[in-house]
Amino acid sequence: MSVSEAISEAGTVMPASQTGEPVLRVDGLTVMVDGEDGSRPVVSDLSFEVRRGETLALAGESGSGKSMTSLAIMGLLPKPAARLAGGRVLLGETDLARLGEAGMRRIRGDRVAMIFQEPMTSLNPVLTIGRQVIEAIQAHEPIGRRQARERAIEALNAVRIPEAESRLSQHPHELSGGMRQRVVIAMALALKPDVLIADEPTTALDVTVQAQILQLLKDLQRDLGTAIILITHDMGVVAETADRVIVLRNGKMVEENAIDVLFAKPREPYTRELLAAVPRMGTSRDRIPDAERRGAAKTLLSAHDLSVRFDLTGGVLGRVNRRVHAVEGISFDIQARETFSLVGESGCGKSTTAKAIAGLVPYEGDLILDGRNIGGLDRAGRKRVRRDIQMIFQDPFASLDSRMTVGDLVREPLDIHDVGKPRERNERVVELFERVGLTADQVRRYPHEFSGGQRQRICIARALALRPKLIVADESVSALDVSVQARVLDLLKELQAEFGIAYLFISHDMAVVETISDRVAVMYLGQIVEMGSCAQIFADPRHPYTRRLIEAVPVPDPNYERAPFIRMTGEIPTPVRKLNDPPERLTLQDVGGGHLVAEEAVRV
């Protein structure tokens, strides 16, 4: 039975406020973690319940116990370091805390499913996407492989993955971060669970796909009565999605309330701090114009007709027959001391552009840094360019070598480029740590001993070590809690003012982009469709795609009435073309007849 057929047969379930039926109850949950200093609680005596058709949000900073609570419910605590020390987890009359691993295998995915924050750690890198989704379906439903394959394609289409059928033969590393997260969400939705635990389910997704996924979760909830436990640091998502909110801090419940009451009249100071840190749209309207604020600035980096294409093979002989036009003929300038942002949906070419500038992928066209074309340089020339261009990646833990101390990691660029004497390098490391809000005694620790926000600060310190002229920040704050995110953004602004750094800032969070940017370029299918000052892009967007991105941004106000979101149908555009097909150029002048407007006109 397909997902749509199951929804049709199930009919409409009465809202939770009318049924009042708890589908999951957590009573006195306590989780202990063993460390060098003994055991300590990361979740303390936590109790709550979630009803059919209800969305309960767990909010709080990193280390507050949100994810540990979800892992305890799923029976996935990292043993032996973490253990369930007390409490009950009741799914109906079944206490999940007392079930063995065999019993939990029957429950997981079928009656209780989970969407993890980091898709690469929840997908097997050596298995194809199709095999993983099909196996998840067949593990819980007695259907044949052909029917399971059809269900898998339908699930991938439901989360708006282009060319869903062809994606079945791809491996996780062949998809972007946003695409991988959509696959994980599709696996959870395909099994129609009673309880869905969503741990930062839209962190890696752009705002339009996020809006579609959240609406999809609402549809599933309305038609099947699914109870959702939503874990997120995006208070805009909380405001638009949740019915109730539990605020956690240091493993304890700080505040619990209905969504409208919590946003209007938060009782606790900590809750008020969280809400105050949320980036909000409209901040660019009162900003001093760029030229007036910075004065005359020289051009630091120019991209002229930049293109990045990847060949795809197929057929019996494995010949190249298709090509991915990841970036197609884009041009832009970045001024000294400027923050220039690239925005757009997952797969639009933002990160590929960043990698081309950082010298991590081959490209066509010209990249001119300080008047010098950096294409075609020899090894020594490329090494000199890397001193001027540094990169901050989205996942700080993946970009830090877990076998090295963080002090050695920050010092490594200084060693590679032979900057100063050994003693001077050590002093520089301490100085950098203090500059990004860390302490000198932390240089001897390892990456796993820090929180996510602290690890991102370490990555910033590493990027600053060589005093670059340009830092490429690729989704550098998307995985951070709002309060940590606000502090990191303030830090980036302070460092820019102090050292005169220019930023190429890449993000799918439009509110963050408006907060930090001077100029913005909007990308779609590998091309720039609109570019202008931050105030112009957000106050008077000209392109329908730009307007769609802005309209999809979650608003941290539960009483905000959003216009109905236009859901796409039909074939999803793709940057993959046949080998001999000419590149399709998108311009602002031809949007009246382009597929952007054609898609925009389709309503469900």
Side-chain angles (χ1 to χ4, degrees):
M1 182 186 299
S2 70
V3 175
S4 57
E5 288 172 344
I7 291 175
S8 177
E9 282 195 7
T12 301
V13 176
M14 296 292 285
S17 58
Q18 297 180 32
T19 63
E21 179 187 349
V23 63
L24 181 74
R25 289 175 291 172
V26 174
D27 182 19
L29 184 69
T30 299
V31 177
M32 303 293 292
V33 171
D34 295 330
E36 294 180 357
D37 300 327
S39 297
R40 63 181 179 88
V42 292
V43 179
S44 301
D45 195 26
L46 180 63
S47 298
F48 63 85
E49 61 183 30
V50 57
R51 299 174 177 85
R52 294 186 62 82
E54 180 187 32
T55 297
L56 173 67
L58 301 182
E61 294 181 298
S62 295
S64 63
K66 306 186 303 293
S67 294
M68 277 296 185
T69 299
S70 65
L71 293 175
I73 293 172
M74 295 292 295
L76 294 175
L77 288 173
K79 299 176 181 178
R83 67 184 187 279
L84 186 63
R88 299 185 301 167
V89 180
L90 298 173
L91 181 66
E93 299 301 322
T94 304
D95 187 355
L96 303 185
R98 302 293 178 265
L99 284 182
E101 180 59 27
M104 282 304 300
R105 283 202 192 103
R106 293 191 293 270
I107 295 290
R108 285 192 211 111
D110 185 20
R111 296 190 62 194
V112 182
M114 186 167 178
I115 302 169
F116 293 91
Q117 177 178 357
E118 177 47 58
M120 201 60 179
T121 60
S122 52
L123 293 172
N124 191 323
V126 301
L127 300 181
T128 64
I129 295 299
R131 181 172 175 181
Q132 295 184 65
V133 179
I134 290 170
E135 284 184 353
I137 295 172
Q138 288 187 303
H140 296 282
E141 296 192 16
I143 59 177
R145 183 170 180 81
R146 176 177 294 183
Q147 190 176 357
R149 188 175 189 275
E150 292 173 357
R151 286 273 299 277
I153 294 172
E154 182 185 1
L156 295 180
N157 278 322
V159 295
R160 301 295 296 169
I161 290 183
E163 297 186 319
E165 186 170 0
S166 65
R167 302 288 183 182
L168 296 180
S169 60
Q170 291 186 309
H171 290 79
H173 73 271
E174 298 179 80
L175 304 180
S176 67
M179 289 287 192
R180 288 194 292 263
Q181 188 67 297
R182 291 187 228 185
V183 171
V184 173
I185 293 172
M187 292 174 68
L189 294 178
L191 295 167
K192 309 177 292 296
D194 296 326
V195 179
L196 179 64
I197 301 174
D199 187 0
E200 301 283 3
T202 59
T203 295
L205 301 181
D206 48 79
V207 288
T208 54
V209 177
Q210 174 178 264
Q212 294 170 33
I213 293 299
L214 293 177
Q215 186 60 51
L216 186 64
L217 293 177
K218 289 180 181 178
D219 292 343
L220 180 75
Q221 186 176 56
R222 180 196 64 230
D223 296 328
L224 297 178
T226 305
I228 297 177
I229 299 175
L230 177 67
I231 298 171
T232 180
H233 65 261
D234 191 329
M235 299 305 287
V237 171
V238 171
E240 294 196 357
T241 308
D243 299 304
R244 286 187 299 124
V245 184
I246 292 177
V247 179
L248 297 175
R249 187 179 192 183
N250 297 328
K252 298 179 180 180
M253 184 187 299
V254 173
E255 184 170 351
E256 178 182 9
N257 223 323
I259 185 70
D260 53 347
V261 176
L262 185 127
F263 274 79
K265 296 181 179 180
R267 295 192 306 263
E268 301 297 326
Y270 178 67
T271 308
R272 292 194 289 271
E273 290 175 12
L274 283 180
L275 295 177
V278 177
R280 298 174 186 270
M281 301 290 288
T283 58
S284 62
R285 296 172 185 173
D286 301 324
R287 188 178 299 166
I288 299 173
D290 308 335
E292 181 181 339
R293 179 173 58 83
R294 292 195 314 271
K298 68 173 184 177
T299 298
L300 175 65
L301 178 76
S302 292
H304 296 299
D305 202 27
L306 182 68
S307 297
V308 180
R309 305 180 182 116
F310 302 104
D311 292 337
L312 299 177
T313 58
V316 178
L317 300 179
R319 293 175 177 172
V320 175
N321 57 7
R322 293 180 300 162
R323 181 169 288 148
V324 179
H325 293 249
V327 178
E328 192 58 54
I330 66 173
S331 299
F332 59 86
D333 295 330
I334 300 177
Q335 308 298 321
R337 308 177 69 92
E338 177 186 40
T339 298
F340 180 83
S341 292
L342 287 179
V343 301
E345 294 179 301
S346 175
C348 71
K350 306 186 301 295
S351 293
T352 303
T353 301
K355 290 175 182 177
I357 292 173
L360 301 178
V361 294
Y363 63 87
E364 299 176 11
D366 296 313
L367 286 173
I368 300 173
L369 179 68
D370 260 349
R372 180 180 57 173
N373 196 325
I374 62 177
L377 293 176
D378 58 18
R379 184 175 180 180
R382 290 195 300 271
K383 184 177 180 180
R384 287 193 297 270
V385 168
R386 290 194 184 101
R387 292 193 61 167
D388 294 330
I389 301 177
Q390 289 290 300
M391 195 162 181
I392 304 172
F393 294 93
Q394 177 176 359
D395 185 352
F397 195 69
S399 57
L400 296 173
D401 191 332
S402 60
R403 299 167 298 178
M404 297 174 64
T405 66
V406 292
D408 288 340
L409 287 166
V410 174
R411 176 183 159 138
E412 187 178 34
L414 301 174
D415 294 335
I416 292 173
H417 291 272
D418 197 24
V419 177
K421 298 179 180 178
R423 182 177 178 180
E424 294 173 337
R425 296 173 195 173
N426 292 335
E427 292 174 350
R428 181 77 169 273
V429 169
V430 173
E431 177 188 340
L432 288 168
F433 266 65
E434 293 174 346
R435 191 63 196 84
V436 298
L438 299 172
T439 60
D441 62 336
Q442 291 177 314
V443 299
R444 293 182 294 275
R445 298 184 184 179
Y446 289 85
H448 72 273
E449 298 180 74
F450 295 87
S451 68
Q454 289 175 321
R455 284 196 290 263
Q456 196 62 291
R457 288 171 181 264
I458 294 166
C459 291
I460 294 172
R462 180 182 167 91
L464 287 171
L466 296 172
R467 294 183 179 172
K469 298 175 181 178
L470 174 68
I471 288 181
V472 180
D474 187 3
E475 299 284 6
S476 56
V477 297
S478 63
L480 304 180
D481 302 310
V482 287
S483 55
V484 178
Q485 182 183 84
R487 292 195 289 269
V488 171
L489 290 176
D490 288 340
L491 174 63
L492 292 176
K493 292 177 183 178
E494 292 172 7
L495 295 172
Q496 184 177 53
E498 182 176 345
F499 298 111
I501 303 167
Y503 293 123
L504 173 59
F505 193 81
I506 296 172
S507 178
H508 61 260
D509 191 327
M510 299 295 283
V512 169
V513 167
E514 187 180 16
T515 299
I516 198 172
S517 304
D518 295 312
R519 289 189 300 129
V520 180
V522 182
M523 292 192 69
Y524 182 83
L525 289 181
Q527 299 178 40
I528 293 177
V529 296
E530 184 167 6
M531 182 164 54
S533 70
C534 187
Q536 180 265 306
I537 291 293
F538 284 91
D540 184 27
R542 300 178 183 180
H543 200 286
Y545 178 66
T546 307
R547 292 196 295 271
R548 181 176 174 80
L549 286 177
I550 295 173
E551 289 169 358
V553 176
V555 178
D557 181 359
N559 296 316
Y560 177 78
E561 294 185 6
R562 181 186 299 280
F565 190 78
I566 303 172
R567 188 177 302 178
M568 305 298 188
T569 62
E571 187 62 29
I572 303 169
T574 173
V576 180
R577 303 186 183 97
K578 294 181 180 178
L579 190 60
N580 297 321
D581 286 352
E584 181 183 352
R585 302 305 297 268
L586 303 174
T587 64
L588 187 58
Q589 287 71 31
D590 68 8
V591 294
H595 57 265
L596 287 175
V597 173
E599 278 201 312
E600 201 70 26
V602 176
R603 296 176 181 267
V604 176

